[in-house]
Amino acid sequence: LASGGFDSALKLWALPALDGTCVADGSPGASPRVMRNCLGHTGPIVSCLGTVADEHVLSTAFDGTLRCWSWAGVPVRTYEEAHVGHACGLAQDEATGTVYTGGDDGHLSAWDLRVGGRVASSSATHTIDGAVWSVAVSGNLLAAGATTGALTLWDLRH
């Protein structure tokens, strides 16, 4: 499990199993505990998620970056200036592995982590009305929720 917060640290947690042992290492303990503090963001972390193949954990933050970490807590890659202002929303398309981020700049960006960069941005077509703080993928549908209450939808098949 991963979590982020206003301390700018991405925390990787060990969770208890039903038998009272730790899922991560089998040690006794019925309470979740922080196993790793991943440091690198310079602003509060807004979103985090484990990748589809569960190889990495991703995070977006007020520092405008998208960061990729190993589950061992090692920084893998930082995408500087992912957004102008805060990088907020974060989602991944399970079918393709494409990662989507939203930001205060009113843009939605698509990332291919295998090639190491941004592959598309909504700025090429239009700006979303408001800061994009929520991003979700469901089947072939990509949704971006903005601070203005606007919801923008895309069909990922096109």
Side-chain angles (χ1 to χ4, degrees):
L1 180 69
S3 68
F6 274 87
D7 64 357
S8 303
L10 179 74
K11 292 176 174 49
L12 304 181
W13 296 81
L15 300 177
L18 294 177
D19 65 3
T21 62
C22 175
V23 172
D25 60 14
S27 63
S31 298
R33 69 178 191 278
V34 175
M35 294 202 48
R36 309 264 190 288
N37 273 307
C38 306
L39 304 175
H41 281 293
T42 58
I45 295 173
V46 181
S47 297
C48 59
L49 65 82
T51 59
V52 172
D54 212 25
E55 297 170 349
H56 300 101
V57 61
L58 305 173
S59 55
T60 57
F62 279 13
D63 62 9
T65 65
L66 165 65
R67 292 183 184 261
C68 180
W69 312 82
S70 74
W71 281 103
V74 177
V76 174
R77 178 168 283 161
T78 298
Y79 301 94
E80 299 287 344
E81 300 176 14
H83 290 275
V84 177
H86 305 144
C88 303
L90 179 62
Q92 186 175 31
D93 183 338
E94 292 183 13
T96 65
T98 303
V99 172
Y100 297 94
T101 60
D104 279 351
D105 54 9
H107 296 147
L108 187 71
S109 292
W111 305 84
D112 185 337
L113 303 182
R114 296 167 298 190
V115 298
R118 185 184 338 241
V119 293
S121 173
S122 66
S123 62
T125 55
H126 71 282
T127 299
I128 297 166
D129 183 25
V132 180
W133 274 56
S134 179
V135 179
V137 177
S138 180
N140 293 319
L141 190 64
L142 171 63
T147 54
T148 59
L151 179 67
T152 305
L153 302 173
W154 288 269
D155 184 338
L156 295 174
R157 296 172 293 187
H158 301 286

